[in-house]
Amino acid sequence: MASAIILLPLYIHHLSTELYGALSVYMVFTLLVQIVVTFSFDTSVYIHFQELKGDQKRLSVFMSSAFVFMLIIGFAAFLFFAFAGSFLFKIALPDRDISFFPYGMSSVGAGIFQAIFKVHSNLLQSREKPETFFWSNVVSFSLIAFFIVIGLQLYPNSLAGPILGRLIGSIIPCLWALFRILREFGFHYDFTWLRSSLSFNTYTFIYQMQQWIINQFDRILMLFYLSLANVGVYDFAIKCLIPVELLMNSLHNSFYPKVVGSLMSQTGKGSSPDINRYYHGLTAIVMLLVCGSILVLPWLIETFVSKPDYHEATRYIPYLA
């Protein structure tokens, strides 16, 4: 998530609002592919690791089967979009300069690679391995940022840099995550045992799709009524507020394994003052962040963003915050 705000000055410097709007649409599509490939294993690994950590054999079967299942979904998604992606883009976006090849197909690949790495990162959180989690994500971001910067320098005012750079930069972290999983847990695929987990995943997957529609689909919907430049300004305003979301998610992820572990250790499952204090503290911080964003962000945009077209984002900040 941090890459979206850290790389934002580069995007603004090299891309017009129209190109930035197109980039936001491709990124929304990447996230959709990522959600489909993860199939909510990024959520279920929290629960099942705490449940199975005392039985190494069952844990190994579940973890290995989960990643093999995601690879199968990823391969199926790749084949589906390779044949049908261009047709679907023409139906959904008939009057826009947004083609499936090559950037749409590149977005599919990036979504698959990011999905594998994300689930592995969530497993590290559940196992409370902060150093490995931190450094793996730093390296992943650094690789993606490096290739994006190189791409923007080689192909200025083009989507080749940000989209192809993200694709290339996400390959190595994905392969590293798969290597760690297969080395520790071996290669297993027990669909019979995995089926009990998929019943849980199905409902959380539906929830994640609903969240994607609420938080991401508006960029695509806006294309039916507004120009790509307007979509770019809107997405820029949202990206300016990513630090709020980043801090919220970081704080939540830092204490969520402790909450799950505490619940699993209870005989009668329920809340407690120790659990509640995490969420009350998070709510207080969010309230301060929202008020601070409304006060500070419009001034930062008008002061430090040189392209006047992006200044239109200031009118949306209070509502989006």
Side-chain angles (χ1 to χ4, degrees):
M1 290 182 63
S3 64
I5 188 67
I6 294 174
L7 297 174
L8 194 58
L10 288 173
Y11 292 153
I12 296 171
H13 178 72
H14 289 280
L15 303 177
S16 64
T17 52
E18 184 174 1
L19 279 176
Y20 185 75
L23 175 63
S24 68
V25 173
Y26 284 117
M27 294 305 297
V28 166
F29 179 59
T30 299
L31 184 57
L32 174 62
V33 174
Q34 178 179 312
I35 292 173
V36 170
V37 174
T38 58
F39 197 70
S40 237
F41 280 106
D42 56 334
T43 302
S44 65
V45 292
Y46 281 121
I47 308 300
H48 292 298
F49 176 79
Q50 297 293 339
E51 178 186 1
L52 302 173
K53 62 183 180 181
D55 188 337
Q56 184 62 33
K57 183 177 180 180
R58 293 178 65 200
L59 179 65
S60 297
V61 172
F62 169 73
M63 289 299 172
S64 180
S65 298
F67 278 86
V68 171
F69 185 75
M70 285 187 291
L71 287 173
I72 293 173
I73 297 177
F75 183 69
F78 179 83
L79 290 180
F80 173 78
F81 284 111
F83 289 101
S86 182
F87 175 71
L88 293 174
F89 266 50
K90 288 180 180 178
I91 293 178
L93 307 169
D95 300 324
R96 301 297 178 186
D97 188 21
I98 299 180
S99 60
F100 183 75
F101 292 103
Y103 301 134
M105 198 66 221
S106 300
S107 300
V108 172
I112 294 171
F113 296 137
Q114 290 176 184
I116 301 297
F117 181 76
K118 176 176 172 55
V119 176
H120 178 265
S121 293
N122 283 33
L123 177 61
L124 291 175
Q125 291 176 4
S126 185
R127 302 176 82 172
E128 298 188 51
K129 293 189 174 183
E131 291 186 6
T132 307
F133 172 83
F134 174 76
W135 286 112
S136 63
N137 279 273
V138 166
V139 171
S140 175
F141 163 72
S142 300
L143 286 171
I144 292 173
F146 172 77
F147 286 109
I148 287 177
V149 170
I150 294 298
L152 286 171
Q153 296 297 324
L154 294 176
Y155 306 101
N157 203 33
S158 168
L159 295 178
I163 294 179
L164 298 181
R166 180 172 295 275
L167 171 64
I168 297 171
S170 61
I171 294 175
I172 296 175
C174 171
L175 294 177
W176 172 81
L178 285 174
F179 172 76
R180 281 177 53 88
I181 292 296
L182 295 177
R183 183 184 63 178
E184 181 176 358
F185 300 114
F187 183 86
H188 305 279
Y189 189 69
D190 189 345
F191 183 76
T192 303
W193 193 92
L194 191 64
R195 187 166 50 194
S196 62
S197 175
L198 295 179
S199 61
F200 170 86
N201 288 31
T202 300
Y203 294 105
T204 51
F205 171 72
I206 293 172
Y207 169 74
Q208 289 182 345
M209 288 298 297
Q210 291 171 336
Q211 290 297 307
W212 177 83
I213 293 172
I214 292 171
N215 297 317
Q216 308 293 332
F217 184 70
D218 51 0
R219 276 69 147 194
I220 298 176
L221 188 63
M222 289 169 66
L223 289 177
F224 291 94
Y225 304 97
L226 301 173
S227 66
L228 276 172
N230 293 135
V231 176
V233 171
Y234 171 77
D235 189 76
F236 168 67
I238 290 179
K239 291 298 191 295
C240 289
L241 288 158
I242 276 186
V244 176
E245 186 177 0
L246 177 62
L247 185 56
M248 287 170 54
N249 286 348
S250 299
L251 290 172
H252 179 266
N253 290 336
S254 67
F255 66 72
Y256 187 62
K258 296 182 182 296
V259 171
V260 174
S262 177
L263 288 172
M264 288 296 180
S265 65
Q266 296 176 3
T267 304
K269 302 294 188 288
S271 187
S272 67
D274 286 340
I275 292 176
N276 288 342
R277 68 181 181 182
Y278 289 120
Y279 293 97
H280 291 315
L282 180 64
T283 302
I285 291 173
V286 169
M287 293 172 67
L288 292 172
L289 287 172
V290 169
C291 296
S293 299
I294 296 173
L295 179 66
V296 174
L297 280 178
W299 174 78
L300 290 176
I301 292 172
E302 293 181 350
T303 303
F304 294 102
V305 177
S306 59
K307 292 184 177 180
D309 290 345
Y310 285 99
H311 291 180
E312 294 184 31
T314 57
R315 69 179 70 182
Y316 307 129
I317 293 296
Y319 306 102
L320 293 171

